[in-house]
Amino acid sequence: APPAAGPAGLSAYVAVSQLLGLTLLATTGAWLGRYRGGVAWHGHLQFNVHPLCMVLGMVFLQGDALLVYRVFRHEAKRSTKALHALLHGLALLIALVGIVAVFESHRSKGIPNMYSLHSWCGMAAFVLYLLQWLLGCGFFLLPRASFSLRSRYKPQHVFFGIALFALSITTCLLGITEMLLFNISDSYSRFVPEGVLANMLGVLLVAFGLVVGYVLTRDDWKRPPLAEELALSMDFKTLTEGESPGGGS
């Protein structure tokens, strides 16, 4: 049988989110390349690795990882879980590269670390994101947690996934403002091209977050459980808690 069609409007919103995400990455690259000299791992351009990696990992890839369960609605749950975890893991690795880059850049220039609100929010977002990923793998990807424990943790996992995505975007906005004030504070108020482009980058970040958030919070767009998944869930509950589907022991 042909695969069932998705809910009306879902594909359009997902397509808009991807268009915004790719535009977001292109705008980040254009800002760093045109006005900040480009990106390099060694030398004075090492710092620029940081914003590029954080936007790519903590915003774009994290957003796409959150959309996996909406996009792949009719694929096997195990495969969807694996892709969800893989995208989050890739986002963490890229973000880690960005964190190492900024610490190395600050060390070479004699700049102190972890003094700004941006750095506090950024480190909190990364550490909590890593914890969220580890807990998610332990509870849902590896079949070790009991059915009741997984059921109790799932609402927290969903909530903190969206909350961390929002925190990541907020931290990027703080970082953009900080870079502008450090580099063009004397001309920013005169609507110079770099300031306008960076402001547009901020608007794209907000727009991407809003579209992804809307898709995630539409109840009628949630991934429906397949018939075989319901059967497997009942079997898993029986094995882990000693209950029959009817509630008997």
Side-chain angles (χ1 to χ4, degrees), residues 45-105:
L45 297 178
Q46 186 178 27
F47 176 84
N48 293 344
V49 175
H50 175 70
L52 182 62
C53 285
M54 305 320 278
V55 170
L56 173 58
M58 296 295 287
V59 177
F60 181 67
L61 286 178
Q62 183 180 179
D64 276 5
L66 295 174
L67 291 175
V68 160
Y69 285 106
R70 302 297 186 271
V71 175
F72 300 99
R73 303 171 55 81
H74 305 291
E75 283 70 20
K77 186 70 172 289
R78 183 74 179 178
S79 300
T80 308
K81 282 183 182 181
L83 179 59
H84 179 72
L86 179 63
L87 286 176
H88 278 309
L90 182 59
L92 280 166
L93 285 176
I94 293 174
L96 180 60
V97 172
I99 290 175
V100 171
V102 73
F103 273 87
E104 286 290 315
S105 175

Side-chain angles (χ1 to χ4, degrees), residues 65-249:
L66 295 174
L67 291 175
V68 160
Y69 285 106
R70 302 297 186 271
V71 175
F72 300 99
R73 303 171 55 81
H74 305 291
E75 283 70 20
K77 186 70 172 289
R78 183 74 179 178
S79 300
T80 308
K81 282 183 182 181
L83 179 59
H84 179 72
L86 179 63
L87 286 176
H88 278 309
L90 182 59
L92 280 166
L93 285 176
I94 293 174
L96 180 60
V97 172
I99 290 175
V100 171
V102 73
F103 273 87
E104 286 290 315
S105 175
H106 282 182
R107 181 186 59 79
S108 65
K109 297 175 182 177
I111 300 174
N113 293 304
M114 299 302 299
Y115 67 90
S116 67
L117 178 60
H118 165 69
S119 62
W120 287 16
C121 291
M123 189 57 68
F126 179 78
V127 172
L128 292 174
Y129 189 28
L130 175 61
L131 180 62
Q132 168 89 344
W133 183 72
L134 292 173
L135 288 173
C137 289
F139 275 92
F140 303 114
L141 193 61
L142 304 176
R144 296 186 181 277
S146 68
F147 183 87
S148 61
L149 190 61
R150 291 166 68 174
S151 299
R152 287 196 298 269
Y153 175 66
K154 184 178 178 180
Q156 283 75 33
H157 184 73
V158 172
F159 168 78
F160 282 107
I162 298 176
L164 287 172
F165 180 59
L167 177 59
S168 299
I169 291 177
T170 302
T171 303
C172 286
L173 295 175
L174 290 172
I176 291 171
T177 303
E178 192 173 283
M179 281 187 66
L180 291 174
L181 293 179
F182 282 164
N183 292 294
I184 59 168
S185 59
D186 56 339
S187 59
Y188 185 27
S189 61
R190 296 198 294 270
F191 294 92
V192 294
E194 180 179 358
V196 173
L197 181 63
N199 287 348
M200 291 178 61
L201 175 59
V203 171
L204 287 169
L205 281 164
V206 173
F208 180 72
L210 289 175
V211 173
V212 171
Y214 180 74
V215 173
L216 294 175
T217 53
R218 278 282 298 263
D219 287 338
D220 54 329
W221 287 356
K222 290 182 177 179
R223 183 183 188 276
L226 305 179
E228 57 269 25
E229 294 171 6
L230 292 174
L232 287 173
S233 294
M234 295 310 301
D235 290 341
F236 181 77
K237 182 176 181 181
T238 302
L239 290 172
T240 57
E241 300 187 3
E243 296 180 359
S244 67
S249 58

